[in-house]
Amino acid sequence: MSFEHLDSPKLKRFQRKVTLLSAAGTFLDGFDLTVIAVAMPLILSQWEITPGLQGLITSSAVIGSLIGALWLGNLTDKYGRKAMYVVDLVAFVVFAALTAFAQAPWQLILFRFLLGIGIGADYPISATLVSEFSSTKSRGKHSTSLGAMWFVGAVTAYLIGMLMLPLGASAWRYMLLVGAVFALIVFFFRVTLPESPRWLASRGREKEAEEIMLKITGQKVIIKPDAAPKQKAGALFTKSLFRRTFFVCGFWFCYAVAYYGISMYTPTILKPFTNGSQMMVYTGSLTVSVLGLLGAIVGLNLVERIGRRPLIITSFTGLSIALIILALNPHPTMAFLVILFSLAVLFANMGGGILNFVYPTELFPTSIRASASGLATGVSRIGSILGILVFPNLVAAWGNSKALWFFAVISMAGLIVSVLLAPETKGKNLEELNNELNVSPGTTLKGENHGEMA
């Protein structure tokens, strides 16, 4: 392979464009998955909805994203990054618009589910494309910016909610429709990006890869045929890759359970402390989301300085401590909840919430990179669904503080997985990492002084 030219400083502008348009997709993910939590209090006041139905509406997009990640992640390895990169935006536009015009709960659930398929697909597609175009030194920062933009989308959902609130009973429809408008804008810009030359080379299409490299670098590059054996998705469960597969699925699952369980119900948890003020609910929830975004920004700026491994361990440590403190207080105040929830999501997003866009694309060969990312995304969606559906039932049975012990335990499990399995991949190009698949357990990755093989 001859992709060293992608490390040239001359490509920074192009790489920023790829990252920005990919991050626009994760922005939409964050917006569309969060806006339903913002809209839910208004939907509940307009329709008669049981707690079980509320859980289905809240989780339908997440369930759809499970299917989208597993199905379209695999297709991205088969048919190319660009094709799926553009197609999945169609789902964003069409189904986000349809949710705004839903006339019954079952329609809202169906359209949110179909929207979720596009959301799930965008994780492996965008993360893979960014990693394959980025330079070695900036790959971590570019990839983590995708995670950061998810939280920008979440914050924007609350801001849009506050702006739309004066529109009355139909305000929730306008909140959902904004997502379709955002997606339409992103769609027109995404069609201008080229296919990944790394993917083309992995499919034996070296000439096409050379043409794209010439177009983006201005230099003629000779790309030799990829001698590495082509692997299928089943290889993720072979001896040489299973530790990596278990690690990326394990830490992302634990993060998703804790984060979604908290974030999707933040407005509901805070509501009893606001004397019926919906604006106060939104203000408290927005504060939590802003601190979550701050955590992602902190992580983005640390990932290439201190490395991936220290960052993810610190993240789960801080999250676990915050959740334990929350669980130990059976009679919290509004201020206490906002502060501790804010600290919890700050630490969560500093590592787990952004490295989920890094590790799955760094630790697997090009031929199955999107499949690996799709699998990890799919497993994380199971965690998200678990967090969303289990939390209300735990609250009903145990109360808020005791229910939070469930998330504290899950977070500590994520910490254990990270301490035992998180490798350090900073400063290595994708081809180097692909060549380090057969390192025995307990040894370090080549060229690193710390970090265990995953």
Side-chain angles (χ1 to χ4, degrees), residues 84-126:
M84 307 310 299
Y85 189 64
V86 174
V87 168
D88 79 304
L89 258 293
V90 175
F92 279 85
V93 176
V94 173
F95 297 118
L98 287 174
T99 59
F101 296 99
Q103 298 301 307
W106 72 266
Q107 292 179 9
L108 188 56
I109 292 169
L110 174 62
F111 296 144
R112 290 280 302 171
F113 170 78
L114 295 172
L115 171 63
I117 293 177
I119 290 174
D122 204 71
Y123 280 79
I125 299 168
S126 294

Side-chain angles (χ1 to χ4, degrees), residues 89-375:
L89 258 293
V90 175
F92 279 85
V93 176
V94 173
F95 297 118
L98 287 174
T99 59
F101 296 99
Q103 298 301 307
W106 72 266
Q107 292 179 9
L108 188 56
I109 292 169
L110 174 62
F111 296 144
R112 290 280 302 171
F113 170 78
L114 295 172
L115 171 63
I117 293 177
I119 290 174
D122 204 71
Y123 280 79
I125 299 168
S126 294
T128 299
L129 197 67
V130 167
S131 70
E132 291 179 352
F133 271 121
S134 295
S135 68
T136 301
K137 290 183 178 180
S138 63
R139 186 180 63 242
K141 192 168 185 178
H142 281 295
S143 296
T144 53
S145 68
L146 301 186
M149 283 299 289
W150 194 101
F151 304 109
V152 173
V155 170
T156 302
Y158 280 107
L159 291 174
I160 292 295
M162 295 170 75
L163 289 174
M164 299 295 181
L165 196 58
L167 297 178
S170 297
W172 66 271
R173 296 185 183 276
Y174 295 105
M175 295 178 195
L176 300 182
L177 188 60
V178 167
V181 175
F182 286 154
L184 190 61
I185 296 170
V186 176
F187 174 83
F188 286 115
F189 284 101
R190 275 196 176 185
V191 295
T192 64
L193 292 180
E195 179 58 89
S196 164
R198 277 188 163 106
W199 179 80
L200 288 169
S202 76
R203 308 298 289 187
R205 296 160 63 177
E206 291 85 7
K207 292 301 180 183
E208 293 175 65
E210 289 173 1
E211 291 173 4
I212 290 175
M213 289 293 288
L214 175 62
K215 182 178 179 180
I216 64 178
T217 67
Q219 300 181 52
K220 185 172 178 59
V221 177
I222 303 299
I223 296 180
K224 299 178 182 178
D226 188 357
K230 303 298 181 292
Q231 301 191 59
K232 296 183 178 180
L236 297 171
F237 303 99
T238 59
K239 184 178 180 180
S240 62
L241 283 173
F242 182 73
R243 283 172 63 86
R244 294 184 175 199
T245 302
F246 183 83
F247 165 64
V248 296
C249 291
F251 91 79
W252 200 348
F253 173 87
C254 293
Y255 163 80
V257 172
Y259 178 80
Y260 278 88
I262 295 170
S263 64
M264 287 295 165
Y265 291 103
T266 299
T268 304
I269 294 170
L270 296 182
K271 190 171 183 178
F273 298 88
T274 61
N275 296 318
S277 172
Q278 191 62 45
M279 186 59 72
M280 194 172 178
V281 171
Y282 284 170
T283 301
S285 301
L286 175 62
T287 301
V288 175
S289 289
V290 169
L291 266 292
L293 172 58
L294 178 61
I297 293 172
V298 171
L300 187 154
N301 285 283
L302 290 178
V303 67
E304 297 293 4
R305 296 182 184 180
I306 69 172
R308 282 68 155 153
R309 179 177 166 82
L311 193 59
I312 197 166
I313 291 174
T314 301
S315 171
F316 275 110
T317 300
L319 173 61
S320 299
I321 292 172
L323 288 172
I324 290 171
I325 294 173
L326 275 164
L328 288 171
N329 190 341
H331 304 292
T333 63
M334 172 78 168
F336 177 86
L337 286 174
V338 171
I339 292 171
L340 266 296
F341 278 146
S342 295
L343 288 174
V345 298
L346 185 149
F347 277 104
N349 297 347
M350 185 176 75
I354 55 175
L355 290 174
N356 49 19
F357 287 93
V358 180
Y359 271 130
T361 60
E362 289 185 333
L363 294 176
F364 300 92
T366 302
S367 58
I368 55 171
R369 183 168 292 127
S371 295
S373 184
L375 174 64

